[in-house]
Amino acid sequence: SRRQRQMCIRDRSITVADLEAAVKKDAEAKGLKGKELHIYVNAEERAAYYTADGEGSDDYRIDLTTL
């Protein structure tokens, strides 16, 4: 079996796959399906932000404590 890549963010261990899935789901819910997504992790805020086709927004945010 393949090992999953993980990130340790403060007191949490999160798989990259789980973070990618959460971002894709959030982006699709905002009508951004099919866009090129880039993810940026802010460990201090325990959040991940993303851009869709190079465009960002304060709403493009994932709370890492929910993963």
Side-chain angles (χ1 to χ4, degrees), residues 13-63:
S13 180
I14 300 163
T15 66
V16 172
D18 286 346
L19 177 56
E20 289 173 341
V23 166
K24 286 178 184 176
K25 181 178 177 181
D26 191 69
E28 287 180 11
K30 291 179 171 72
L32 304 172
K33 187 174 183 176
K35 304 281 186 177
E36 182 177 348
L37 303 173
H38 292 272
I39 303 169
Y40 306 89
V41 175
N42 184 322
E44 189 164 313
E45 292 182 15
R46 293 184 178 132
Y49 295 88
Y50 62 93
T51 60
D53 285 346
E55 297 292 322
S57 168
D58 290 339
D59 292 333
Y60 300 173
R61 180 183 188 278
I62 302 295
D63 181 351

